[in-house]
Amino acid sequence: MKHLRPAGRRLTVAVAVALAVTAGTAAPSFAAPPVPMAASATAGQAGPFVLGTDEILTGSGANGFITDTVTDDGTDRAFRWHRLEDGAVIPLPQDALHYRPVAAPDSDRVAVQMGRSVYRLLDMAGASVDIDTSTIGTNAYLSQLAGDSLVMVRYDGTQRESLHLVSKPAATVVHRQVSGLPADADIYRSAYSASGVLAVQYRGTVGGVTGQRLAVVDLATAKVVEDRAVPRFSPNGSIAVSATHLAWPESDSQNNVTLVAVRRGTTQTTRHAVPAGGSPVRVSLLSDWAVYGLPGKELSAVSLQDGTTVSGFLASATGWLFGAGDGLLAQGSTPEGGKGVYRIAPGVDGRPTATLLATNGATTPTTVLTEQVPAAADFRRAGAKAVLRWTYGRSDVWVSLQVTHTKSGRSWSQGRTLKGTQTEAAFDWDGTFGGWDAQARPLAYTGTATYNGAYTWEMTVESMSGVGGKVVRTGTLTVDSGTAAHDYSDSGSPDLLFRDGSGHLASYDVRQFLAAPNRDWERTERGGGWYVYDRMLSAGNLDASPYSDVVARRKDTGDLWLYPGTGHALGKPLRVGGGWNAYDKLAAGSDLTGDGRPDLVATDKAGVLWLYKATGTAAKPFAPRVRIGGGWNTYDLLNAPGDLGGAKAGDLLARDRDGVLWLYLGKGDGTFAPRVRVGGGWGTYDQIVNIGDVDRDGRADLLAENGTQQDPWLSVYKGTGDWRAPFKARHLIGIPPYASPYGTRPVLF
């Protein structure tokens, strides 16, 4: 493979010319004729040179072209002239109003706006002259550069525009208004060819008929010498003119586009259908060919002699075509040269061909130098990340990474671009599914916690220019984030279970509540038939498996049923006892006895609190009840949140009928310290759920719900670990997207 040298950074040439072109009015003016048009702009070229990956072709002259580089935020622009002879790069002055420089295709002159009415005309050989266009008026803009004349369009504020030619052949500004356009002319666009012909497309009234028209202007006399109606001119299309032809696109009411070329001074017309699909068609003229393109598509050409068509000589073209001497310049790609700036000229067979002038980005082979990927990842703590890192043998590449859970097929992906001196890509995987692509656009982002288990990863690095190839690396890793209270997805992250009014059960991974509070959260369906229960609890791990289980009480019989957790689902229910309708409050999930198992407490209608110690056996999950206190009928809500006080023993929360929340610190033997007032105002909540550790800081948290049936709200109370003030200020999440038909509020647990 031929390695292209970065010839475009000869500082001595660039600095010398830059000093000349930025000297303002002090620089010598010029009155010489335009630089002679090169017979072949590549004849003396030193070989394809390298552009920046983000440089965009915006204009061309006979022996060079202009690129524009825009920062990501669009606030900073850098215009450069690239000389074809040796690849030298000459920075162009930054224009005050951010209008792009305009080049003349028949010379190496460039016009840059320096002030409201002042334009600097640069001869890229070194001289410059400033031209004051204020004689036209303030509402004027530069449309074309034709030889040494600025082609200006003046707007009078009433949809009436006029065309003006402004030059400065010596020390005096010469201003000529073009005659022959109707008084109501509304000028849309103009085109200037290397043959020295100017064309203007406008809307106006000629012969009593108002419509779209195309005119040719004689620059020597500043007069319209040809004018024809183009009634179906295609919106956002372009026009082209040469010494012999005019060309433009037409469209009908169904957006069918036809490319029209007419021999000047005759009615000899060539018409060619273009599958534009509503996209703007850019057209230019090359010898006896009309060359056209659509944004992002390939360039094509149609012969003006016999209608022969040629396509595919330049792919992924921007659509813009710029005259350059006796050829055209366009930006696109070919399989051989990759992405870059190409010269379009007739080949040995007379058909248009593309020759690479400058490539976008590095051209050396794409290689991977180092790789650092962990064998395992653990996301159970806040801020935990798995860092996957690679370094490459070059920059100007696209890099993408996808990590996929082997069993479910769910994945996390991220992409980025490396430019300039960047040769390392480090991906910080935060343990969620979703991700972003190279343009920072979300890819099915949910923020849900990744599952435990085996994963595969695939890293792809590919040349941005299309030259240098791509490399794909693959491998495996394992995620082990452990198990957690309230985890029903084998992710180490708690899940909120809810039953809607139809008896349907579903869940939400709570991590997404904090990661993306304003998104539509992802829900997991868990089946129907739950309407038979009047009390459901996330009970923690009651059997021999490591996963959280659910207990539920039938409202008709008072039987208690155990649904063993299997990691990602709930197993077949087991009846574990009867007579549970004697209790008006149940709470589960706290280890109250210090044996590492979550216990259950219940209050009967007399206010007696009963302890059911966990056994660790699914068939008989609780030991016989033990009475541990009375007077609990003063409370309307009972909750077992786990360890709130930091004593490594499970605690209880109780809310009285005045809305005051009380904390009972567990001693680890089934008894409690005297109650501590947590705070008032908790009566606003309809449901309070001991949700486990939602923010992965190692402390138990609460989830509370209030609002109306149609407008419910969730709030998180994060634990502090301090029994004197066990919760931080509430963190309002928003409206959960669950439905509650049949006029029944959802039940959360």
Side-chain angles (χ1 to χ4, degrees), residues 519-592:
R519 292 183 183 269
D520 289 335
W521 300 323
E522 177 187 345
R523 60 186 276 168
T524 300
E525 306 300 331
R526 298 190 177 272
W530 288 76
Y531 59 87
V532 300
Y533 302 112
D534 64 358
R535 192 72 171 95
M536 293 156 290
L537 301 171
S538 175
N541 178 24
L542 294 175
D543 58 12
S545 77
Y547 306 113
S548 292
D549 307 316
V550 168
V551 293
R553 183 181 67 187
R554 284 189 67 105
K555 58 186 175 182
D556 54 350
T557 65
D559 293 341
L560 194 67
W561 292 80
L562 169 66
Y563 284 82
T566 63
H568 288 276
L570 295 174
K572 185 177 180 180
L574 303 171
R575 182 183 181 278
V576 296
W580 287 79
N581 51 3
Y583 302 114
D584 59 358
K585 291 182 288 294
L586 302 173
S590 281
D591 175 17
L592 304 176

Side-chain angles (χ1 to χ4, degrees), residues 302-663:
V302 57
S303 170
L304 303 181
Q305 299 294 325
D306 57 13
T308 300
T309 58
V310 179
S311 62
F313 50 87
L314 187 66
S316 302
T318 62
W320 291 108
L321 294 155
F322 299 95
D326 59 353
L328 305 173
L329 294 191
Q331 192 167 23
S333 66
T334 64
E336 300 80 14
K339 180 182 176 182
V341 174
Y342 286 80
R343 176 177 173 81
I344 312 301
V348 293
D349 60 355
R351 299 186 175 198
T353 60
T355 303
L356 180 66
L357 301 181
T359 180
N360 280 103
T363 58
T364 56
T366 303
T367 57
V368 178
L369 301 183
T370 65
E371 178 178 289
Q372 295 174 287
V373 179
D378 181 351
F379 302 109
R380 74 187 75 194
R381 287 290 176 259
K385 294 180 180 179
V387 181
L388 296 85
R389 187 189 312 270
W390 288 267
T391 60
Y392 309 99
R394 54 167 283 182
S395 63
D396 300 329
V397 291
W398 287 299
V399 184
S400 63
L401 173 67
Q402 180 164 302
V403 185
T404 304
H405 184 239
T406 305
K407 188 174 182 179
S408 69
R410 300 196 62 187
S411 65
W412 174 87
S413 58
Q414 197 171 86
R416 63 193 55 183
T417 58
L418 301 182
K419 300 178 182 179
T421 60
Q422 298 174 318
T423 57
E424 179 182 272
F427 297 92
D428 295 337
W429 184 25
D430 64 353
T432 61
F433 289 122
W436 294 264
D437 65 8
Q439 285 73 45
R441 296 173 299 196
L443 295 173
Y445 179 78
T446 63
T448 56
T450 49
Y451 307 142
N452 291 321
Y455 284 75
T456 60
W457 57 262
E458 181 177 281
M459 184 280 301
T460 302
V461 55
E462 185 173 5
S463 163
M464 295 176 65
S465 66
V467 179
K470 72 177 180 180
V471 177
V472 179
R473 291 281 181 88
T474 60
T476 62
L477 61 83
T478 300
V479 171
D480 183 3
S481 298
T483 58
H486 241 281
D487 176 14
Y488 295 95
S489 55
D490 194 20
S491 64
S493 177
D495 299 288
L496 174 65
L497 297 169
F498 75 91
R499 184 196 67 186
D500 65 23
S502 67
H504 189 85
L505 187 68
S507 68
Y508 290 98
D509 175 74
V510 176
R511 185 172 174 185
Q512 65 183 323
F513 291 175
L514 301 182
N518 296 319
R519 292 183 183 269
D520 289 335
W521 300 323
E522 177 187 345
R523 60 186 276 168
T524 300
E525 306 300 331
R526 298 190 177 272
W530 288 76
Y531 59 87
V532 300
Y533 302 112
D534 64 358
R535 192 72 171 95
M536 293 156 290
L537 301 171
S538 175
N541 178 24
L542 294 175
D543 58 12
S545 77
Y547 306 113
S548 292
D549 307 316
V550 168
V551 293
R553 183 181 67 187
R554 284 189 67 105
K555 58 186 175 182
D556 54 350
T557 65
D559 293 341
L560 194 67
W561 292 80
L562 169 66
Y563 284 82
T566 63
H568 288 276
L570 295 174
K572 185 177 180 180
L574 303 171
R575 182 183 181 278
V576 296
W580 287 79
N581 51 3
Y583 302 114
D584 59 358
K585 291 182 288 294
L586 302 173
S590 281
D591 175 17
L592 304 176
T593 57
D595 60 1
R597 301 188 185 102
D599 305 307
L600 184 149
V601 292
T603 61
D604 61 25
K605 297 173 183 177
V608 177
L609 182 66
W610 299 90
L611 169 66
Y612 284 85
K613 182 179 178 180
T615 65
T617 302
K620 189 177 181 181
F622 302 114
R625 69 179 186 175
V626 176
R627 186 182 191 277
I628 56 175
W632 288 76
N633 50 0
T634 60
Y635 302 115
D636 63 2
L637 182 144
L638 192 63
N639 189 279
D643 173 24
L644 292 178
K648 306 303 180 186
D651 306 318
L652 289 181
L653 288 170
R655 183 183 66 186
D656 65 26
R657 288 175 172 77
D658 293 326
V660 176
L661 193 65
W662 299 89
L663 171 62

Side-chain angles (χ1 to χ4, degrees), residues 236-270:
N236 300 316
S238 68
I239 60 174
V241 63
S242 70
T244 58
H245 286 83
L246 285 166
W248 67 93
E250 292 183 349
S251 61
D252 59 22
S253 58
Q254 283 75 44
N255 284 328
N256 298 311
V257 177
T258 301
L259 181 62
V260 182
V262 61
R263 182 172 290 277
R264 291 177 53 195
T266 73
T267 58
Q268 181 181 337
T269 303
T270 299

Side-chain angles (χ1 to χ4, degrees), residues 647-706:
K648 306 303 180 186
D651 306 318
L652 289 181
L653 288 170
R655 183 183 66 186
D656 65 26
R657 288 175 172 77
D658 293 326
V660 176
L661 193 65
W662 299 89
L663 171 62
Y664 285 84
L665 291 172
K667 296 181 179 180
D669 59 359
T671 64
F672 304 95
R675 69 178 188 175
V676 177
R677 189 179 190 274
V678 173
W682 289 79
T684 188
Y685 296 114
D686 297 289
Q687 301 177 84
I688 298 176
V689 181
N690 51 310
I691 195 62
D693 182 9
V694 301
D695 55 356
R696 297 177 295 154
D697 64 354
R699 303 186 182 101
D701 307 310
L702 287 183
L703 191 66
E705 184 258 4
N706 66 342

